[in-house]
Each structure stands twice: as C-alpha cells, then as structure tokens.
Amino acid sequence: QVHLVESGGGLAQPGGSLRLSCAVSGDTLDGYAIGWFRQAPGKEREGVSAMHIRDGANYYSDSVRGRFTMSKDNAKNTVYLQMNRLKPEDTAVYYCAGNRRGGLLTLWQRHGADYWGQGTQVTVSS
C-alpha cells in the first residue's frame, strides 16, 4: 500500500524559509506525478507546485513562483518543497499528493490523485 507522509511544517517569520518533505513508501517515485497543495481556513484547496518525477515537467502557482522550489531525491523516495521569502498568506495546511495513472495534468488541474498525505501545518507570522 502506498503512503505519502509530509513533514517539515512549523512556524516561520515573514521572509523566512521552510522545507517540506514528502516521503513516499510502498512504491518507487519513478513514474509518478507528485504535487503540493495547500488549504487555508475558509478557503478552497489550491495547487502550489507539481512535478512529473521521470521527465521533470513542472507547474508552479503564480503566487509562489520564484519563491518556492520543488525537488526530488529518488534514492530517498522523497520529494521536497523549499519555501523561501515566506509571506503570512502562505499560512495553510500543506498536502502532498501522488498520481501514477492519471498523470501530471490531471493532478495539477483537477487535483486528481491516487494518494494524499495527511498534511502539515505551515504558519507564517511575526
């Protein structure tokens, strides 16, 4: 059974940085599309970034492009989201999700995933 487990959330000051990790177990990363999504209280879930592990194709939302970077470590079966120059509006629960069958576009546009993690809280506040 495939599991995705996020870690690395916490409290950061505006302008600070955090790195989230998404560890995948039960299958290899290769062939997956992995995405990061977030949901703030009272708001709809939004896509933050997504990547196809094999070919490297990726998407970033306009709100994080240039500040957040997604990367992968195939040996550790882990995907990362490096978040720099954090803003209070980045406060949300962050989820990683994986899609093998549907592909990157389905994951990014429809939030269609085979697997979801449990989420990790990111709070940006002074």
Side-chain angles (χ1 to χ4, degrees), residues 24 27-34 51-56 72-79 99-101:
V24 179
D27 201 352
T28 58
L29 271 182
D30 188 48
Y32 271 85
I34 301 290
M51 169 191 288
H52 194 281
I53 299 300
R54 185 173 295 168
D55 64 24
K72 62 185 175 71
D73 186 331
N74 289 66
K76 294 183 178 180
N77 235 36
T78 299
V79 174
N99 192 354
R100 176 180 282 278
R101 293 170 294 179

Side-chain angles (χ1 to χ4, degrees), residues 8-124:
L11 176 65
Q13 291 190 339
S17 298
L18 285 173
R19 188 178 78 158
L20 305 184
S21 300
C22 174
V24 179
S25 62
D27 201 352
T28 58
L29 271 182
D30 188 48
Y32 271 85
I34 301 290
W36 287 97
F37 300 84
R38 66 186 182 186
Q39 188 164 22
K43 294 188 177 181
E44 291 188 354
R45 184 177 61 204
E46 64 170 334
V48 175
S49 180
M51 169 191 288
H52 194 281
I53 299 300
R54 185 173 295 168
D55 64 24
N58 60 77
Y59 293 101
Y60 289 91
S61 70
D62 289 342
S63 61
V64 308
R65 188 176 292 111
R67 299 189 297 122
F68 291 11
T69 304
M70 200 170 165
S71 62
K72 62 185 175 71
D73 186 331
N74 289 66
K76 294 183 178 180
N77 235 36
T78 299
V79 174
Y80 303 97
L81 183 69
Q82 178 67 43
M83 306 187 296
N84 297 329
R85 304 201 310 273
L86 283 162
K87 303 176 181 180
E89 50 263 43
D90 294 320
T91 295
V93 178
Y94 284 69
Y95 301 89
C96 68
N99 192 354
R100 176 180 282 278
R101 293 170 294 179
L104 179 62
L105 202 58
T106 296
L107 180 67
W108 181 245
Q109 290 187 341
R110 302 181 184 178
H111 299 191
D114 297 324
Y115 310 102
W116 288 87
Q118 82 289 348
T120 186
Q121 176 70 45
V122 170
T123 302
V124 184

